[in-house]
Amino acid sequence: MDNATLVEAYRDTQQRLLGLMECLSALQDLSSLDLNTPDLGELLKAALRALLENQGMERCSVFLNEGGVLVNAAGMDWSDLMGADVGSRESSIACLRVGEGIMGLAVASGEIQCCSDCGGDDRFAELGNEVPVGSLVCLPIRQGDEVLGVLNVSHPEPHFFNQDRERLLRLFSVYLGQSVTYWRHTHQMEAVIRERTAELRQALGQAQELRERYEALAVVDDLTGLNNRRFFFPEAQAALSRTRRHGQPFAVLALDLDHFKRVNDTHGHAWGDRVL
């Protein structure tokens, strides 16, 4: 084997090792994301940033499947990383139907869709937009059998995505699917807890109102609205104790209606209630 062949093999091995290190760095950054962030869009942008910074991709975006419609959840390109006021190409697309275009096909089929040279690919004709230049990979974001959305990664150079880069993107989409699922479950659980807590507080408030109402009914006469004997005896005992403790006079006034039974017997209980 001549020296030229050895040098070429060394360079190829070196490039593959560098690519592996970049792949591991991207996955490490993704695994260290804060999944408790309140905004899913910010979480996805942080994931895309990790991909751009470690892999030299040009543009990337995530579209989430919401009832058969792919909605643009996050998009980023190198201009965003550099702070330039230029939007990513994918961010100009707000939403697509599942099955529409190459992104929709990735979700509908559940399989990766690769375009080595977008300029000559008929799958972009359905979008009605300017055909992008370069190469594009669309990977379904899955969790089990469910396709949550699609990860789109593009580069201005045709035939940019080799097997190693595609393998990285497959792993990246798997991590992304797990992150989205965890975020949704966590925040949906928090929403359910908040809803149940509000319902419980309302139920406790209603129970307290009923308790106070029944307690009042137990010591109040329904007809006259005056306190009844259940109220009188403990209150009289407490009042008597206070007078003894402070040496104050104490008196009880009792009233009785003579021959009231005649009213009920003569005119009926309804009239008797009115008299009372």
Side-chain angles (χ1 to χ4, degrees):
M1 183 179 295
D2 57 15
N3 290 336
T5 303
L6 289 174
V7 170
E8 185 65 25
Y10 171 77
R11 289 176 178 175
D12 181 67
T13 302
Q14 186 182 39
Q15 289 297 322
R16 293 178 69 88
L17 287 175
L18 288 176
L20 178 60
M21 294 300 296
E22 292 175 347
C23 172
L24 293 175
S25 297
L27 294 177
Q28 181 182 13
D29 289 348
L30 181 60
S31 63
S32 61
L33 294 179
D34 182 11
L35 299 181
N36 294 319
T37 180
D39 189 347
L40 179 58
E42 292 301 320
L43 174 64
L44 294 175
K45 283 185 178 180
L48 298 181
R49 179 183 294 273
L51 186 60
L52 288 176
E53 290 179 343
N54 292 287
Q55 287 297 305
M57 308 298 182
E58 185 70 13
R59 301 183 182 92
C60 51
S61 64
V62 172
F63 282 67
L64 295 180
N65 186 5
E66 298 183 4
V69 177
L70 299 178
V71 179
N72 191 342
M76 183 171 290
D77 61 15
W78 267 106
S79 64
D80 297 318
L81 292 181
M82 302 303 295
D85 188 17
V86 179
S88 64
R89 183 78 57 86
E90 288 83 2
S91 63
S92 63
I93 303 174
C95 59
L96 292 170
R97 293 189 302 272
V98 171
E100 182 181 14
I102 186 172
M103 289 187 286
L105 182 60
V107 176
S109 64
E111 299 292 338
I112 182 174
Q113 300 295 318
C114 303
C115 180
S116 299
D117 187 359
C118 298
D121 198 305
D122 295 336
R123 289 176 293 184
F124 290 95
E126 302 178 9
L127 300 180
N129 297 307
E130 181 183 355
V131 176
V133 177
S135 49
L136 172 68
V137 177
C138 301
L139 303 98
I141 302 174
R142 309 176 63 99
Q143 179 60 31
D145 296 332
E146 181 183 4
V147 181
L148 306 177
V150 58
L151 168 66
N152 311 295
V153 186
S154 62
H155 196 276
E157 296 179 7
H159 309 286
F160 176 77
F161 298 99
N162 54 28
Q163 290 183 352
D164 291 337
R165 289 192 173 98
E166 287 185 14
R167 188 177 298 111
L168 160 68
L169 292 175
R170 289 179 186 272
L171 290 174
F172 197 87
S173 66
V174 170
Y175 271 85
L176 205 56
Q178 294 175 349
S179 299
V180 171
T181 300
Y182 176 87
W183 187 94
R184 286 179 171 176
H185 286 173
T186 300
H187 287 74
Q188 287 173 355
M189 185 180 301
E190 291 177 352
V192 171
I193 292 175
R194 288 194 297 268
E195 181 181 355
R196 295 293 183 268
T197 301
E199 292 176 352
L200 180 59
R201 288 176 178 173
Q202 182 179 4
L204 289 175
Q206 293 175 350
Q208 180 64 22
E209 291 178 0
L210 290 174
R211 178 174 175 272
E212 294 175 354
R213 180 182 177 186
Y214 286 124
E215 286 179 351
L217 291 175
V219 296
V220 173
D221 180 71
D222 292 338
L223 179 62
T224 62
L226 301 176
N227 294 116
N228 59 21
R229 62 193 304 270
R230 290 182 179 176
F231 176 85
F232 171 77
F233 287 109
E235 286 296 319
Q237 182 65 40
L240 181 59
S241 299
R242 287 194 299 268
T243 59
R244 288 176 176 175
R245 183 168 58 252
H246 299 292
Q248 297 175 347
F250 181 80
V252 175
L253 174 65
L255 299 177
D256 185 28
L257 297 180
D258 293 334
H259 312 298
F260 183 74
K261 185 175 182 301
R262 295 179 183 177
V263 177
N264 290 330
D265 295 340
T266 305
H267 303 285
H269 289 278
W271 272 100
D273 291 343
R274 295 182 62 180
V275 171
L276 286 176

